[in-house]
Amino acid sequence: MKNTFAVFVVPVVAAASLLLASCTQEQQNSISRSVQNWTGTNGVLEIYAGEKVVRRFVQIDKLSTAMGTDDNRPRPYRFGYGVMDENLNMVVDQGEKKVYFEISDYGTNYVFFENPR
């Protein structure tokens, strides 16, 4: 049984490694983002006015780029769903709800990161 498993798994892992190694860096990044989007993250989005955080969303699964309906081209904004952290304490408190949000690529200073907690 053990040899059968090794005979099957080793070639599959080797083939996957070769396939991944032959991809460009952008293709590898795209694969990584797809896997991460599928598995989900505990993302945090902070929006700044100057050096001050003025809005924070927590428990974001992913931040998506809007795509055009007719031309399928990327639009200049991102969107997602997250809990609006009204008191900016990085914790979902009673009364804070999950909301839809959009942020512009042009005028919004923001940082999106995985929550370290």
Side-chain angles (χ1 to χ4, degrees), residues 34-113:
S34 296
V35 169
Q36 188 174 24
N37 286 343
W38 179 67
T39 60
T41 61
N42 186 14
V44 176
L45 174 69
E46 293 181 336
I47 300 174
Y48 291 84
E51 295 179 9
K52 182 179 179 183
V53 175
V54 294
R55 184 79 66 226
R56 180 181 287 141
F57 298 92
V58 296
Q59 295 184 351
I60 299 170
D61 290 333
K62 67 180 178 176
L63 196 58
S64 300
T65 301
M67 301 297 281
T69 304
D70 295 329
D71 60 6
N72 202 30
R73 294 182 60 182
R75 296 296 186 235
Y77 67 94
R78 310 274 185 260
F79 67 92
Y81 292 88
V83 177
M84 187 164 62
D85 185 12
E86 295 179 21
N87 58 2
L88 304 175
N89 67 352
M90 295 284 286
V91 175
V92 177
D93 297 311
Q94 187 174 0
E96 294 178 340
K97 298 188 185 309
K98 191 169 198 172
V99 297
Y100 172 82
F101 60 85
E102 295 179 0
I103 52 175
S104 169
D105 286 352
Y106 299 126
T108 307
N109 294 321
Y110 67 91
V111 176
F112 180 67
F113 58 95

